[in-house]
Amino acid sequence: MATSCGRALSKVGCTLLGSPAVRLLCVVGSQGSRRLIGTSSTHFKPVPAMRVRRSLGLALALGGGFGLYQAVKIKALQAQEEDTTQTSDGTLKLTLYQYKTCPFCSKVRAFLDFYGLPYEIVEVNPVMRQEIKWSSYRKVPILMVNNSLQLNDSSVIISAIRTHLINKNKNMADIIRCYPEMKSVNDRGKEVTEYTNKYWLMLDEVDTTTVYPEKEIQKEEMKWRRWADDWLVHLISPNVYRTTGEALASFDYIVHEGKFGTVEGFFAKYVGAAAMFFISKMLKARHNLQDDVRQDLYKAVNDWVTAIGKKRKFMGGDNPNLADLAVYGVLRVMEGLQAYDDMMSNTKIKHWYRRMEKATTSHEGQC
Ligand SMILES: *[C@@H]1O[C@H](CO)[C@@H](O)[C@H](O)[C@H]1NC(C)=O
Ligand SMILES: *[C@@H]1O[C@H](CO)[C@@H](O)[C@H](O)[C@H]1NC(C)=O
């Protein structure tokens, strides 16, 4: 299962579409891209056709990241520290490499914000990815701890940091060894990387009973974290690119937020919107969504609210747990778009959503 934008993107671009033109696009946007971009970016002045392809790649990359995130909200905690290697008070120095518009990155930010952990953001250009050139892991989010320890995969990042917050005596390097990488080939013959234990917190018995007084609570949190990664995320794209009008609105927002030249911006908007409109139809088929994709979104969101029930403010009780933070992180990438407004007025999510918004923006989990 894809837990980062890069993988989701190459899936979108490469396995669904077979034409040479599209393969080129997916090359631009995925792992095999380094050579192509390397040559075109050094001494080679791009001809217009190349620029078009690049813009297309960019558009796809952004669209493949599914989301559209309101940048405004994340300013609070970023870049509070100067560029020192470590903080003086013994806390972790965190740097998040991300695409602003990606739900997996939004999930990590929701988590860090809720716990009031300061972090710097490095926005990665989805085409060139210069910013993560130093890493052989080519996807975002990546979280650097103290400029030395590299955490990959959104759910691993969240589980590892949460483990450290619960037991500060535990060394991050030791914690992260508990989430080993596992490579395998999926049913479509593609190599996939998974992380063992990614929904587990590495706690001893005493901490476990403090954090999870009942086994069921722990199980429930893991189940819904997985659900957010494996199901909820797949509903975003088909919903924000549902109609041509919505696809344009989504890309208008992306272009407005991102750094684009006039030509690139134009192509990103129109070509990207058109491409994502069609890709989202294919995603709809792949994930067996209903004809009206909104119905799946409404159902998912209402299932979530039902799972919380009437007695709890959050799934975590009086405070959000990691499942609350994951679901909120994914859903909020739709803010400002039609799909979001429709979700708010046609489901029962609103009250929980407002509580989550407040909990994260006011860093209620800070201790
Ligand atoms: C990061 O730096 C802080 C402050 O020096 C230190 O207390 C902490 O142990 C370091 N963490 C890691 C994972 O090296
Ligand atoms: C993350 O990926 C990089 C590059 O592949 C690797 O060197 C690093 O060990 C990975 N981090 C963890 C915690 O697995």
Side-chain angles (χ1 to χ4, degrees), residues 124-140:
V124 176
N125 175 315
V127 179
M128 296 307 195
R129 292 189 293 182
Q130 289 283 352
E131 298 83 358
I132 51 168
K133 212 170 153 184
W134 48 269
S135 166
S136 59
Y137 180 81
R138 302 294 291 157
K139 299 160 199 160
V140 294

Side-chain angles (χ1 to χ4, degrees), residues 8-113:
L9 165 66
S10 48
K11 255 175 143 174
V12 167
C14 303
T15 50
L16 288 174
L17 302 164
S19 83
V22 174
R23 236 176 297 128
L24 178 62
L25 297 183
C26 98
V27 165
V28 176
S30 69
Q31 311 258 14
S33 64
R34 267 163 289 160
R35 246 170 311 157
L36 178 73
I37 287 173
T39 38
S40 67
S41 64
T42 43
H43 296 107
F44 179 68
K45 191 164 184 294
V47 293
M50 181 59 92
R51 293 180 67 159
V52 172
R53 281 184 223 129
R54 251 204 236 156
S55 307
L56 270 165
L58 182 55
L60 272 183
L62 288 164
F66 303 127
L68 313 129
Y69 178 67
Q70 306 269 57
V72 204
K73 303 212 164 157
I74 52 169
K75 293 274 157 64
L77 280 170
Q78 74 193 69
Q80 285 176 346
E81 295 161 78
E82 288 312 309
D83 197 17
T84 49
T85 37
Q86 292 188 350
T87 53
S88 49
D89 59 354
T91 51
L92 302 172
K93 177 179 159 46
L94 305 175
T95 309
L96 178 66
Y97 291 79
Q98 67 156 12
Y99 303 146
K100 197 187 289 173
T101 56
C102 135
F104 297 106
C105 304
S106 170
K107 242 172 61 182
V108 173
R109 286 194 309 268
F111 166 78
L112 296 173
D113 285 344

Side-chain angles (χ1 to χ4, degrees), residues 46 118 218 237 261 329:
Q218 183 179 22
S237 250

Side-chain angles (χ1 to χ4, degrees), residues 1-4 7 31 135-143 150-160 175-184 192-200 202 222 225-226 229:
M1 164 49 221
T3 34
S4 69
R7 193 184 308 158
Q31 311 258 14
S135 166
S136 59
Y137 180 81
R138 302 294 291 157
K139 299 160 199 160
V140 294
I142 293 173
L143 188 75
Q150 176 185 351
L151 310 194
N152 315 313
D153 184 282
S154 64
S155 288
V156 172
I157 291 172
I158 289 168
S159 294
I175 294 172
I176 201 64
R177 270 193 279 279
C178 304
Y179 302 95
E181 222 181 72
M182 229 173 25
K183 289 200 193 300
S184 62
V192 289
T193 308
E194 252 315 341
Y195 290 86
T196 320
N197 310 323
K198 68 179 175 179
Y199 301 110
W200 268 98
M202 297 301 158
M222 287 173 46
R225 285 179 75 190
R226 189 185 296 282
D229 284 354

